Amino acid sequence: MALEKKKFIIANWKMNPRTKEAAEKLWRESAIEAPGLEVVICPPFAYLGLSMTDQGTVAKGAQNVHWRESGAFTGEVSISMLKSLDVKYVILGHSEQKDQDWVVRKKIKTVLKAKLRPIICFREKQELENRLQGLKRIKGAMIAYEPASAIGSDHALHPEKALSMAILARLILTKRYSRPVAETIPVLYGGSVSPKNAASYELDGLLVGTSSLNSATLKKIIANVSKRHQPKS
Ligand code: PGA
């Protein structure tokens, strides 16, 4: 269902690794030139300001953001802070965050207004519908289907099931917006992605958690997806 030609590999480090040195090392080792792929690394906030090398080949993403511009919000991070750290993507509504749908909606607006790309997570159809409710603008966003049973579980969803949900999600986007707009929204799959299963997902990209914490494993995923999507001559 390739609509945007480029495929996306989003590495979600979650609350890892344990030290700044380990983060710098993991970043350095994960930076890889991948034709036809956009590789995005999403470290925890604490590591977003480190001077990562090879930023030319790998984009930086954040794992969340607050929807307000600034103010008395202890422990929160704003979109202008992320922008000033050269962040280009923001994961929103990850199930481990437990944000309510209205909060996710506000965050989507904030990220789009700042011209960064939100990666909107959803676990099932209704959750996607709720998160898009009343959102007039969606262009620039990406959505990521992450079924609860597949996250960090070693039970990746069957690729055909992921594809059916992606088709359904595209239909929802088409009905809410328009076909041309829906076609600009990459639909990703996330949940126990590994080098073994990565190439079998016929979606616009992958959200990779555990497997992104080992650079060799991440590189295998990137290589396998890249190989699979090379134009056949
Ligand atoms: P996982 O995590 O790859 O460890 O299943 C994916 C995610 O939660 O984004």
Side-chain angles (χ1 to χ4, degrees), residues 27 31 48 50-60 85-86:
W27 182 285
L48 282 171
L50 300 181
S51 59
M52 307 291 199
T53 51
D54 284 322
Q55 280 197 7
T57 56
V58 175
K60 214 193 281 185
L85 293 173
D86 209 26

Side-chain angles (χ1 to χ4, degrees), residues 22-97:
E24 281 167 341
K25 183 168 181 281
L26 182 57
W27 182 285
R28 220 173 23 249
E29 292 175 355
S30 301
I32 175 174
E33 198 74 64
L37 294 188
E38 168 98 339
V39 180
V40 181
I41 296 185
C42 304
F45 288 142
Y47 300 142
L48 282 171
L50 300 181
S51 59
M52 307 291 199
T53 51
D54 284 322
Q55 280 197 7
T57 56
V58 175
K60 214 193 281 185
Q63 297 175 19
N64 200 1
V65 70
H66 196 274
W67 54 275
R68 295 253 199 203
E69 260 308 312
S70 62
F73 300 100
T74 303
E76 300 289 352
V77 168
S78 77
I79 196 73
S80 58
M81 295 173 193
L82 297 184
K83 227 176 158 169
S84 72
L85 293 173
D86 209 26
V87 167
K88 303 274 190 270
Y89 296 80
V90 187
I91 297 174
L92 295 179
H94 191 283
S95 57
E96 286 156 11
Q97 275 288 328

Side-chain angles (χ1 to χ4, degrees), residues 12 14 94 96 146 150-153 190-193 207-211:
N12 177 11
K14 307 192 178 185
H94 191 283
E96 286 156 11
E146 294 213 307
I151 297 178
S153 67
S192 301
V193 171
L207 186 46
V208 187
T210 314
S211 295

Side-chain angles (χ1 to χ4, degrees), residues 151-189:
I151 297 178
S153 67
D154 224 14
H155 298 294
L157 193 72
H158 193 285
E160 272 174 28
K161 286 195 176 156
L163 184 60
S164 318
M165 179 55 95
I167 292 167
L168 184 59
R170 180 93 58 211
L171 202 65
I172 290 171
L173 291 167
T174 304
K175 276 194 188 147
R176 269 185 192 277
Y177 304 98
S178 67
R179 192 157 171 206
V181 169
E183 288 184 352
T184 64
I185 315 287
V187 182
L188 319 181
Y189 166 76

Side-chain angles (χ1 to χ4, degrees), residues 193-199 211 216-222 224-225:
V193 171
S194 68
K196 234 171 136 181
N197 61 30
S211 295
T217 310
L218 180 69
K219 280 182 181 168
K220 267 189 224 152
I221 290 176
I222 293 169
N224 292 352
V225 172

